[in-house]
């Protein structure tokens, strides 16, 4: 094949790839603005969907939480949800959160947070 024909074939491939991607959709991007805050009932997780979906739709969110990263309990929530209350947490104990967006191709990169539910801050501190 001549160099000119190879360049033409490559240019055609680039144009067709842009118009009709042959590669399957990939894992979604991670959720944005993930916040873990104390509420009366435990901890509330709030988030925004990924900024760009571009062929990577979110089907659900995976939320793992617990007193250590090794003992996380995982729940899944619907893609239309933007918050979840985690009620089964121990007051005054540091809890960790690991959250990802999910689709049929897998999980996004996780977002990590930590918070102490129901902790009382004393000032001045008792010695």
């Amino acid at each position: 094949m001549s160099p000119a024909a190879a360049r033409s074939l490559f240019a055609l491939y680039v144009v067709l790839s842009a118009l009709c991607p042959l590669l399957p959709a990939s894992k979604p991007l991670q959720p944005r603005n993930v916040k873990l805050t104390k509420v009366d009932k435990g901890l509330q997780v709030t988030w925004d969907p990924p900024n760009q979906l571009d062929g990577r739709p979110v089907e659900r969110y995976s939320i793992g939480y617990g007193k250590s990263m090794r003992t996380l309990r995982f729940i899944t929530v619907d893609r239309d949800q933007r918050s979840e209350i985690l009620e089964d947490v121990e007051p005054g104990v540091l809890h960790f959160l690991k959250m990802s967006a999910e689709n049929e191709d897998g999980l996004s990169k996780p977002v990590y947070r930590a918070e102490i539910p129901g902790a009382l801050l004393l000032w001045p501190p008792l010695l």
Side-chain angles (χ1 to χ4, degrees), residues 13-25 54-55:
Y13 168 77
V14 169
V15 169
L16 290 177
S17 294
L19 295 175
C20 180
L22 299 175
L23 299 174
D54 62 354

Side-chain angles (χ1 to χ4, degrees), residues 66-104:
K67 292 188 265 184
S68 79
M69 292 303 290
R70 291 184 182 182
T71 61
L72 295 179
R73 293 176 295 235
F74 284 89
I75 60 171
T76 56
V77 296
D78 186 72
R79 68 179 174 207
D80 296 324
Q81 263 185 263
R82 297 295 173 259
S83 70
E84 180 72 14
I85 301 274
L86 309 173
E87 293 181 346
D88 56 338
V89 295
E90 191 176 332
V93 176
L94 180 64
H95 281 72
F96 297 91
L97 174 89
K98 178 182 178 182
M99 183 174 184
S100 298
E102 186 176 357
N103 67 16
E104 70 276 356

